[in-house]
Amino acid sequence: MALIVQKYGGTSVGNPDRIKNVAKRVAEYRSRGDQVVVVVSAMSGVTDNLIKLAKEIMSLPSEREMDMLLATGEQQTIALTAIALHNLGVKAVSLTGAQAGIVTDGVHTKAKIHNITPKKVHELLDQGNVVIVAGFQGETREGQITTLGRGGSDLTAIALAAALKADLCQIYTDVDGVYTADPRIVPNAKKLPEISYDEMLELASLGAKVMQSRSVEFAKKFGVVFEVRSSLNENPGTIVKEETKSMEDVVVRGVALDKNQAKVTLIGVPDKPGVAAKVFKALGDATVNVDMIVQNISHGSLQTATNTPTTDISFTTDKADLLKAQKVIDGLKKELGFNDVLTDEKIGKLSIVGVGMKSHTGVAGKMFDVLAKEGVNIGMISTSEIKISVTIDLAKGEAATRAVHAAFIG
Ligand code: ASP
Ligand code: MG
């Protein structure tokens, strides 16, 4: 007898028929004698709608009240799922996050799980129930309802799987698993049978948003192996787990194109200690999310007023943050005395990710060669142990993604 945690996202429980389907799947596992804990999200659109309602009343509502409000979305789905199971003659009980023993800190709307005491869950399982737990929510030690940040039901499932020492954790969603690239861009992208936590995290941060990143970090920390798979078919999904030696045989696990970045370049910045610190501290204070940063070496040009050597600094940020970033930079102009600011919204960030890069050489050279043959100019470059990212002309982004995918993956 295995203990299985299954998480169903918003689209998987998006209407009564989908909920009945979920119940059917759960019932099947149950009939094999397995114990099943089901974590559900709010029905798709419900959380967004609740946020909209609140904002129609007040633009900056209290975060405590937002948690009170948003937690109701998941509470609807747990009850509906329990009812769907009862309808199939399966014993089932729904629990809120608090009833399931999920204790969080007090940071409303993005609380962190403090600990889980799943005594009630165990009791109900032992009495032969399927236990259905509301995702995305918990309770502080003082009994305040909290939520775990958007997409937080993933975290509930992973954390419960860890606390219950589950044999299997399945994350059901509306895609078949994790692909080597976005199939809308690369039609022959392949579903990956497995991927390491770190690769999954890199791909998520590159815009391949299959799961909430925090929950993947949590899974890595606690060694929770999980499967991402579709609730709409029976296909096996992608197993996400600790890196194994054989994973390194594959150099590039995935190719991702992020179309959502913009570039800012400061021209003629004084090349002296503390300047970059000022720029990026100010951006951070304004909560501008900075991704890539490149600083040129000074090449002899001097700032005339002060006779200091100058350099150029470029960085990328989300398109949504560009205006905010520009405002911050404009505000520094007097103090730092740079010559000009350029912005470019027509960039794409193309990345390849794979743990195999740790032990293979020539990967960057091959990628740049493919791009050169495609006539694609490289702007900025950044690398980590398992990732190479370049900025390129957005108009050539999709063709470049296909070419790089063909060269490394097929
Ligand atoms: N319902 C929440 C959201 O939409 C949590 C989740 O779906 O995981 O963000
Ligand atoms: Mg969701």
Side-chain angles (χ1 to χ4, degrees):
M1 185 183 68
L3 171 55
I4 305 174
V5 173
Q6 298 185 333
K7 181 259 173 178
Y8 293 91
T11 34
S12 302
V13 291
N15 60 46
D17 279 335
R18 292 258 169 98
I19 293 175
K20 284 187 193 169
N21 262 337
V22 165
K24 236 191 261 164
R25 189 184 294 265
V26 173
E28 238 165 73
Y29 276 91
R30 188 75 195 102
S31 68
R32 294 177 209 165
D34 295 330
Q35 292 188 320
V36 190
V37 174
V38 180
V39 174
V40 287
S41 293
M43 295 164 82
S44 54
V46 165
T47 307
D48 286 335
N49 210 32
L50 290 170
I51 293 173
K52 205 171 129 236
L53 281 174
K55 296 214 159 158
E56 274 172 29
I57 296 173
M58 188 177 181
S59 60
L60 264 184
S62 134
E63 292 185 327
R64 180 196 181 273
E65 300 308 329
M66 285 311 285
D67 277 353
M68 191 62 91
L69 180 66
L70 296 192
T72 63
E74 270 70 12
Q75 221 170 303
Q76 295 174 4
T77 336
I78 50 170
L80 291 170
T81 308
I83 290 167
L85 279 161
H86 296 165
N87 190 44
L88 298 177
V90 178
K91 276 178 76 178
V93 179
S94 67
L95 297 177
T96 64
Q99 289 174 327
I102 299 175
V103 179
T104 74
D105 66 19
V107 184
H108 284 292
T109 76
K110 41 183 171 301
K112 287 204 167 65
I113 294 179
H114 200 277
N115 63 280
I116 302 184
T117 315
K119 198 169 145 264
K120 186 97 202 142
V121 177
H122 278 303
E123 275 172 25
L124 289 166
L125 285 172
D126 290 344
Q127 291 160 17
N129 293 288
V130 170
V131 179
I132 303 150
V133 179
F136 177 56
Q137 55 172 264
E139 187 182 62
T140 66
R141 284 206 190 89
E142 294 75 36
Q144 298 290 330
I145 294 175
T146 51
T147 64
L148 307 175
R150 295 307 304 269
S153 300
D154 288 335
L155 184 59
T156 305
I158 300 280
L160 262 179
L164 294 166
K165 299 189 177 61
D167 300 290
L168 189 62
C169 179
Q170 299 175 318
I171 306 290
Y172 285 91
T173 173
D174 49 359
V175 293
D176 263 4
V178 185
Y179 278 74
T180 53
D182 182 341
R184 286 166 303 184
I185 298 175
V186 183
N188 63 333
K190 297 178 194 61
K191 183 170 59 184
L192 292 162
E194 61 178 20
I195 188 170
S196 72
Y197 297 123
D198 288 331
E199 290 168 327
M200 180 84 172
L201 283 165
E202 289 285 15
L203 286 170
S205 71
L206 301 173
K209 284 255 177 302
V210 181
M211 269 179 82
Q212 188 208 38
S213 288
R214 249 174 86 190
S215 57
V216 181
E217 279 159 15
F218 192 101
K220 180 182 174 188
K221 191 165 160 199
F222 292 94
V224 179
V225 176
F226 61 92
E227 180 187 17
V228 179
R229 56 185 290 169
S230 170
S231 64
L232 308 172
N233 59 48
E234 297 301 318
N235 302 338
T238 302
I239 304 284
V240 187
K241 60 179 194 182
E242 194 50 68
E243 173 184 334
T244 58
K245 199 71 205 133
S246 69
M247 281 186 179
E248 283 196 35
D249 295 344
V250 177
V251 182
V252 174
R253 185 93 44 205
V255 181
L257 176 66
D258 184 351
K259 301 177 177 176
N260 215 10
Q261 299 238 327
K263 181 168 79 173
V264 180
T265 305
L266 285 72
I267 309 234
V269 185
D271 191 10
K272 62 178 190 199
V275 171
K278 275 208 184 92
V279 171
F280 292 100
K281 168 103 187 9
L283 289 166
D285 288 346
T287 67
V288 173
N289 215 337
V290 171
D291 182 17
M292 297 163 96
I293 301 174
V294 171
Q295 178 178 314
N296 292 338
I297 49 168
S298 7
H299 40 71
S301 46
L302 296 179
Q303 198 178 46
T304 32
T306 56
N307 222 24
T308 18
T310 64
T311 183
D312 303 336
I313 297 178
S314 295
F315 63 89
T316 64
T317 179
D318 284 351
K319 278 202 174 84
D321 277 352
L322 181 59
L323 275 182
K324 210 160 49 165
Q326 254 175 314
K327 241 170 106 185
V328 171
I329 300 296
D330 286 343
L332 291 171
K333 181 146 192 186
K334 242 207 185 103
E335 186 183 350
L336 297 182
F338 47 84
N339 295 333
D340 205 359
V341 188
L342 304 177
T343 60
D344 185 358
E345 282 193 81
K346 297 200 166 59
I347 62 162
K349 185 172 90 169
L350 177 63
S351 308
I352 55 177
V353 173
V355 290
M357 281 182 211
K358 290 182 190 173
S359 49
H360 290 76
T361 55
V363 184
K366 179 170 169 183
M367 180 190 193
F368 301 164
D369 193 41
V370 171
L371 293 172
K373 290 199 173 106
E374 282 289 306
V376 176
N377 194 36
I378 295 171
M380 303 159 80
I381 302 171
S382 78
T383 63
S384 80
E385 217 183 8
I386 65 164
K387 178 189 75 172
I388 301 169
S389 300
V390 297
T391 64
I392 56 175
D393 177 5
L394 184 57
K396 294 182 176 165
E398 297 202 351
T401 307
R402 284 188 284 272
V404 169
H405 189 275
F408 282 102
I409 295 169

